[in-house]
């Protein structure tokens, strides 16, 4: 607890009154200093008897860099008080509102809001008590998602995964009583002895799923997260089930808006490192040389998939040119 500017003024008045009293008698001290001392004493007592202030903060919705979010505060201080909320790196306070304030989301990651600093004042504004109240609240910033224009290799992956004919022919075997006649491969059976039938077997039904594996060298987590998020969101918007392997976790193949949020959440929190999923369909890796995408035996810079890239550009073949790969 300490005096405010007004409180220091009151103390100065008391000091002057004491000096005057030393020269003109105690009547000057009683007339001037006593009221000031009573006000200071009353303020100290009321502040000391107040309950501990509380601050409730509503968690803002996640967003992308460049967006703003409202932060709502509910303060219970039992009297006059000013509240200042700490804002972590990656966020910037841009406005004060009646319910709290607004922040701009600057960079990817899970950033902290709070704790709050509450400055309580007495009724006369002579004293102030400052306390740090409450815990931190998370403000999540997703990685930047870029619009994509797929090149030939990436477009082919999407077309294969999203094909309506997902039961591919696998092999032939001899007919066994009980096999459905619709599975008999009549063209091949006609080349055999009469009554010697063969049945077509089909591969396991493909549900249109694609798994993206993302990894990054130290210092390149943001570039990795942005590229992987752009690829995953594009695939989800194409109606595919998307899985994600990141350095900090794994998500199985799913569809829908909820899964989109889960993908962005995972990539918002990930640091640099390797994703261990050799069975993935798309590999995204960020290094000092840039961000590389590898799929179906071809590798190319992530920039080839950006909205202003030429979709007709051929990717580089891994067998002809060495590229960065996970």
């Amino acid at each position: 607890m300490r005096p405010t500017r007004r409180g220091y003024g009151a103390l100065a008045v008391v000091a002057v009154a004491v000096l005057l009293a030393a020269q003109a008698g105690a009547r000057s001290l009683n007339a001037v200093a006593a009221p000031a001392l009573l006000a200071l004493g009353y303020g100290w007592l009321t502040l000391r008897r107040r309950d501990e202030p509380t601050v409730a903060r509503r968690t803002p919705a996640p967003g992308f860099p460049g967006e703003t979010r409202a932060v709502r505060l509910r303060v219970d201080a039992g009297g006059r008080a000013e509240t200042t909320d700490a804002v972590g790196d990656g966020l910037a306070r841009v406005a004060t509102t009646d319910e709290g304030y607004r922040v701009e989301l600057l960079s990817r990651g899970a950033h902290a809001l709070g704790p709050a600093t509450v400055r309580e004042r007495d009724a006369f504004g002579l004293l102030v008590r400052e306390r740090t109240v409450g815990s931190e609240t998370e403000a999540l910033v997703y990685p930047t998602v870029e619009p994509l224009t797929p090149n030939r290799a990436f477009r082919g992956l999407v077309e294969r995964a999203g094909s309506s004919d997902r039961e591919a022919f696998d092999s032939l075997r001899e007919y066994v009583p009980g096999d459905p006649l619709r599975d008999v491969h009549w063209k091949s059976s006609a080349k055999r002895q009469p009554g010697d039938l063969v049945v077509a077997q089909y591969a396991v039904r493909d549900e249109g799923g694609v798994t993206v594996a993302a990894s990054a060298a130290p210092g390149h987590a943001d570039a990795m997260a942005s590229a992987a998020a752009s690829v995953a969101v594009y695939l989800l918007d194409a109606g595919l089930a998307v899985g994600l392997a990141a350095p900090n976790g794994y998500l199985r193949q799913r569809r829908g808006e909820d899964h989109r949020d889960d993908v962005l959440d995972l990539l918002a929190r990930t640091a640099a490192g390797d994703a261990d999923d050799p069975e993935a369909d798309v590999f995204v890796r960020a290094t000092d040389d840039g961000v590389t995408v590898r799929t179906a035996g071809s590798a190319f810079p992530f920039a080839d998939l950006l909205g202003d890239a030429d979709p007709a550009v051929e990717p580089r073949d891994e067998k002809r040119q060495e590229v960065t790969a996970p």
Side-chain angles (χ1 to χ4, degrees), residues 85-173:
D85 215 16
V87 174
D89 295 337
L91 306 170
R93 190 191 309 267
V94 294
T96 300
T97 65
D98 293 338
E99 296 181 320
Y101 59 98
R102 295 189 68 85
V103 293
E104 181 180 0
L105 311 182
L106 300 179
S107 61
R108 179 189 71 93
H111 307 294
L113 296 170
T117 299
V118 179
R119 296 176 180 86
E120 301 174 276
R121 297 177 184 270
D122 67 290
F124 300 109
L126 300 177
L127 299 172
V128 62
R129 182 176 66 174
E130 185 174 297
R131 296 188 178 185
T132 300
V133 180
S135 58
E136 296 180 350
T137 300
E138 180 181 86
L140 188 65
V141 184
Y142 291 148
T144 299
V145 174
E146 303 285 357
L148 302 186
T149 301
N151 59 19
R152 186 171 300 177
F154 194 79
R155 187 168 59 245
L157 169 73
V158 176
E159 290 173 351
R160 289 192 301 274
S163 172
S164 58
D165 182 15
R166 296 175 187 155
E167 286 189 346
F169 173 78
D170 185 30
S171 61
L172 296 173
R173 64 170 175 80

Side-chain angles (χ1 to χ4, degrees), residues 12 20 34 54 61 75 113 131 134 158 170 193 245 250-251 279 282 304:
L20 292 175
T54 61
V75 182
L113 296 170
R131 296 188 178 185
V158 176
D170 185 30
Q193 297 294 327
Y250 178 84
L251 295 173
E279 301 300 322
V282 181
D304 287 1

Side-chain angles (χ1 to χ4, degrees), residues 1-2 39-53 77-80 119-123 126-131:
M1 192 181 302
R2 59 179 176 80
L40 286 168
Y42 176 78
W44 177 85
L45 183 62
T46 55
L47 281 181
R48 184 176 179 84
R49 296 180 63 180
R50 281 188 191 175
D51 293 334
E52 184 80 16
R80 296 175 59 187
R119 296 176 180 86
E120 301 174 276
R121 297 177 184 270
D122 67 290
L126 300 177
L127 299 172
V128 62
R129 182 176 66 174
E130 185 174 297
R131 296 188 178 185

Side-chain angles (χ1 to χ4, degrees), residues 28-43:
S28 299
L29 180 63
N30 294 333
V32 178
L37 288 173
L38 285 174
L40 286 168
Y42 176 78

